[in-house]
Amino acid sequence: MRSPLDGKLLVVSGKGGVGKSTMAAALGLAAARRGRRTIVVEVGEENRVAEIFGRPAGEAGATVALADGLSSISIDPDRALLEWLQALGGRVSGRLLASSGTFQYFAAAAPGAKEVVTMLKIWQLTHTSGRRRAGYDLVVVDAPATGHALGLLGSPRTFGAIARVGPIASQTRHVQDLLEDPASTAFVAVALGTEMAVTEALELQQGLELQLGRSLSAVIVNGLLPKRFSASELRRIEALGEIDATGVDSSLRRTAVAAARAAHARSRLQQNQLARLRRRSMQVVSVPFVWNGELGIAELKSIAERIDRDL
Ligand SMILES: Nc1ncnc2c1ncn2[C@@H]1O[C@H](COP(=O)(O)OP(=O)(O)OP(=O)(O)O)[C@@H](O)[C@H]1O
Ligand SMILES: [Mg+2]
């Protein structure tokens, strides 16, 4: 696979709040612009992706059209498990299952069941069967934050180990094969240029290696500030602050120098974190911080163009 956008499945994770949903939407848009029919899957009760495109959230489990060749769907693991049990139980009524505690009992007795059923749904979206095409070339998963994402990705193996034979075993095997196949599945971490977010991206890398023998294709470092001044420029600005002949009063000069210093320091911290990733030979894609309030479709397009160029 030349680019993570060229496979069948692309899983996006990272620390909470770093821009995973935004980047999953941008990755989806970049793939769609390459002519690939793409769906972004949000896991949980989120509907961020449709929101970014200004679309009303669809019902859970309903597909929402976002742009040419791009749609989104939200999979709620609780609901996915309930549906799966109903399909399995046949005549057991949904109401009984939901209300009698049977569901809670099953969910507690079979740890990882929700996750594995969610993974099965994702697999179905990627799947091209002889007779019926799901209709997507690429499935982008806006996965939960690192720890939960690793739980989700590890569930086919853990669960498959419990159910060794029967339909579950063969289904989990398909999912496991898909996740392990470098020609089909890619993993991308999203981070901010902060110590904690980069550490979490590296933890995701470690977890992938350990669980699946896989690696991150890239780390998207989001929210980068511009490098406004070099160190020597900053020194010149600081010197200007001392000069009384500028016609600007001294308190304003001091404030301006402090602002320049702060901008320089914040950007340097971010650059140090980028360097930390590069030292570990990670492919890094940087995305600037967007200043104009709401991040909408126009901003998303320019992020998608950057990703398209760098991935
Ligand atoms: N490059 C950027 N510039 C400015 N704001 C951004 C940028 N990327 C994301 N944001 C904003 O940051 C917030 C969090 O983004 P997002 O919802 O994508 O994060 P997340 O990692 O999916 O969060 P969660 O862990 O809660 O699912 C949103 O308000 C989003 O608009
Ligand atoms: Mg999100």
Side-chain angles (χ1 to χ4, degrees):
M1 204 196 302
R2 277 186 299 111
S3 153
L5 298 174
D6 295 337
K8 276 189 191 173
L9 179 64
L10 169 54
V11 182
V12 181
S13 181
K15 189 172 159 21
V18 297
K20 296 181 297 297
S21 300
T22 310
M23 295 309 133
L27 285 158
L29 194 57
R33 292 172 136 220
R34 287 188 185 184
R36 308 205 71 212
R37 290 162 307 164
T38 304
I39 187 161
V40 180
V41 179
E42 291 185 82
V43 177
E45 285 168 23
E46 280 202 72
N47 269 300
R48 272 292 294 151
V49 175
E51 202 180 284
I52 298 171
F53 281 84
R55 296 284 195 279
E59 286 207 358
T63 307
V64 183
L66 302 178
D68 249 4
L70 182 64
S71 47
S72 75
I73 192 170
S74 158
I75 299 179
D76 172 9
D78 273 326
R79 195 183 151 125
L81 179 57
L82 191 61
E83 281 171 8
W84 187 82
L85 287 173
Q86 279 167 356
L88 198 72
R91 275 163 302 177
V92 183
S93 91
R95 200 136 45 99
L96 177 73
L97 205 52
S99 66
S100 67
T102 318
F103 174 70
Q104 294 308 335
Y105 178 80
F106 184 85
K114 282 179 202 174
E115 287 78 4
V116 90
V117 171
T118 303
M119 285 309 300
L120 286 174
K121 282 203 150 217
I122 291 169
W123 176 80
Q124 275 164 3
L125 289 169
T126 68
H127 192 54
T128 313
S129 75
R131 274 184 304 121
R132 206 174 123 253
R133 276 183 71 88
Y136 303 110
D137 300 320
L138 174 66
V139 177
V140 178
V141 181
D142 173 15
T146 312
H148 283 125
L150 286 170
L152 190 67
L153 296 170
S155 65
R157 194 170 70 177
T158 343
F159 212 80
I162 302 170
R164 282 181 185 285
V165 287
I168 279 258
S170 69
Q171 284 176 336
T172 56
R173 189 66 239 163
H174 288 311
V175 183
Q176 185 71 12
D177 288 347
L178 176 69
L179 293 176
E180 286 178 2
D181 178 14
S184 303
T185 303
F187 304 90
V188 165
V190 182
L192 296 174
T194 64
E195 164 117 40
M196 267 171 32
V198 166
T199 298
E200 204 159 314
L202 295 172
E203 282 167 6
L204 181 60
Q205 161 68 24
Q206 250 179 0
L208 288 174
E209 251 169 43
L210 223 65
Q211 285 183 196
L212 297 167
R214 298 295 316 275
S215 287
L216 289 171
S217 294
V219 181
I220 299 179
V221 182
N222 186 25
L224 286 177
L225 301 171
K227 280 190 273 183
R228 291 201 196 278
F229 319 110
S230 67
S232 77
E233 282 168 339
L234 188 71
R235 275 197 298 279
R236 277 159 58 200
I237 293 168
E238 282 169 336
L240 266 182
E242 307 298 324
I243 300 171
D244 210 6
T246 50
V248 179
D249 65 79
S250 64
S251 85
L252 189 56
R253 272 187 279 130
R254 272 200 301 275
T255 312
V257 169
R261 248 191 227 127
H264 181 71
R266 282 180 66 192
S267 155
R268 221 181 48 190
L269 284 178
Q270 292 187 330
Q271 295 302 318
N272 289 345
Q273 294 305 320
L274 283 180
R276 196 176 151 208
L277 287 166
R278 292 202 175 105
R279 276 199 299 279
R280 286 171 170 79
S281 308
M282 293 280 178
Q283 191 193 343
V284 174
V285 177
S286 42
V287 171
F289 186 84
V290 176
W291 293 96
N292 37 328
E294 272 296 280
L295 198 150
I297 182 79
E299 291 76 24
L300 198 73
K301 272 186 185 156
S302 88
I303 295 174
E305 275 162 23
R306 184 177 270 265
I307 287 176
D308 189 43
R309 192 191 63 202
D310 293 352
L311 268 187

